[in-house]
Amino acid sequence: MNKLLIISIVLGGLLSSCSSEDAQFCECMKVSKDLNDISAEVLETGADEKKAEEHRKLNDQKKKICKEYETMSGEEMLKRKKNCEEK
């Protein structure tokens, strides 16, 4: 009985840590997409102060949130990105 409880706790901890990591990666993908969208808009129509500030804010968020994924392989990123799209 105690073994089952310990195994359940360990597995629960592992699953929750994976979910947290996936959530951060998905947030990284969302911020990156938002930054790309505003960048494209600025290139098309020009930047006013509001857009420039939004661009700076998103760029800062992306640097912070995506920092640990900078060296991830493209293949791994695509796998994780697919998991974000399924949620």
Side-chain angles (χ1 to χ4, degrees), residues 15-78:
L15 289 175
S16 68
S17 68
C18 291
S19 299
S20 168
E21 186 177 302
D22 287 346
Q24 183 178 351
F25 180 79
C26 293
E27 182 63 22
C28 172
M29 291 291 99
K30 181 188 178 314
V31 169
S32 296
K33 181 190 178 309
D34 292 346
L35 179 60
N36 288 342
D37 291 346
I38 193 79
S39 295
E41 188 177 327
V42 166
L43 286 173
E44 287 179 20
T45 62
D48 58 17
E49 244 182 83
K50 183 179 176 185
K51 286 181 189 176
E53 180 58 33
E54 184 177 357
H55 188 275
R56 278 191 293 275
K57 180 182 166 191
L58 287 169
N59 195 38
D60 290 346
Q61 284 180 339
K62 182 180 181 245
K63 285 179 185 176
K64 181 179 175 184
I65 294 171
C66 300
K67 183 175 182 144
E68 68 183 76
Y69 307 111
E70 289 177 357
T71 59
M72 183 180 286
S73 73
E75 184 178 327
E76 179 67 21
M77 271 193 185
L78 289 174

